[in-house]
Amino acid sequence: MPKTIKELADEFGVSKQAIRKKLDANFRANYVQTVTRNGVQTLVVVNSGYLLLKQHFIGSNSQKPEGVTFTSNTGNKNTDTIELLKEQLSVKDNQIKEKDEQLKSMQKLLDQSQQLHLMAEKKIEELKMIAIKNSDSNSIKNNAFEQPKNKWWHFW
């Protein structure tokens, strides 16, 4: 019989959120149906999905997994661990290479930005110098055309 998320959470002794986290898109497509109960549409998990969830939650709630020994002198475990560590190391190496490439591109962009900023500042300085020269030449022209103003009280 199909069960709702709340019923599953109560049965397994976990939260509804823990059940929902396990209901990914693939699981929902295969094991979840929408049923109308009491005029409300609810999600129910079919029996095969219930068995998978039960296996997951009952297996993870037990304190010591069955059939697994915690001895460190088994050679098979050590080789598995070494292989796992090598795989993780190669993944980390690839991530470091990607980060190095990102750093190079960011440094290149930063250099370009600084060069553009320097060019803009030079242009601003050139425009200021041109404006100063223009204002100086305008003031000289204005002074040449000005006639001295004689005030009548200066004659006394």
Side-chain angles (χ1 to χ4, degrees):
M1 178 175 163
K3 295 190 176 194
T4 65
I5 294 172
K6 181 175 179 8
E7 293 170 346
L8 292 171
D10 291 341
E11 183 176 333
F12 299 143
V14 296
S15 66
K16 292 190 298 185
Q17 184 179 8
I19 299 289
R20 282 192 186 103
K21 282 185 180 180
K22 288 297 170 189
L23 300 181
D24 60 353
N26 188 26
F27 188 88
R28 283 181 186 235
N30 295 324
Y31 303 110
V32 178
Q33 297 175 347
T34 304
V35 177
T36 303
R37 287 188 181 174
N38 300 330
V40 178
Q41 289 187 345
T42 57
L43 296 177
V44 293
V45 178
V46 296
N47 288 335
S48 54
Y50 165 75
L51 294 175
L52 287 173
L53 289 174
K54 183 176 181 180
Q55 179 184 6
H56 172 75
F57 285 111
I58 301 299
S60 66
N61 285 343
S62 64
Q63 295 196 1
K64 184 177 177 184
E66 298 174 12
V68 176
T69 58
F70 293 103
T71 59
S72 61
N73 57 3
T74 59
N76 206 13
K77 262 188 149 179
N78 287 339
T79 55
D80 291 342
T81 305
I82 290 172
E83 291 299 318
L84 176 66
L85 291 174
K86 284 181 180 179
E87 183 179 320
Q88 288 177 348
L89 185 61
S90 66
V91 168
K92 298 294 180 192
D93 287 343
N94 289 337
Q95 289 175 346
I96 290 172
K97 285 179 185 177
E98 289 176 12
K99 291 295 177 188
D100 286 343
E101 290 173 6
Q102 289 175 352
L103 282 173
K104 285 179 186 178
S105 66
M106 292 302 263
Q107 186 65 38
K108 185 177 178 181
L109 290 172
L110 180 63
D111 289 342
Q112 290 175 350
S113 172
Q114 288 174 343
Q115 289 174 357
L116 286 172
H117 185 69
L118 182 63
M119 290 171 56
E121 284 186 7
K122 285 182 182 178
K123 274 286 197 198
I124 290 171
E125 286 298 319
E126 289 176 8
L127 291 173
K128 282 183 182 178
M129 294 302 290
I130 292 171
I132 291 172
K133 287 180 183 177
N134 285 342
S135 66
D136 286 345
S137 65
N138 285 341
S139 66
I140 292 172
K141 288 179 184 177
N142 287 341
N143 286 339
F145 290 115
E146 278 185 24
Q147 295 178 356
K149 294 182 181 179
N150 294 329
K151 309 285 186 209
W152 63 270
W153 58 84
H154 287 258
F155 297 117
W156 294 89

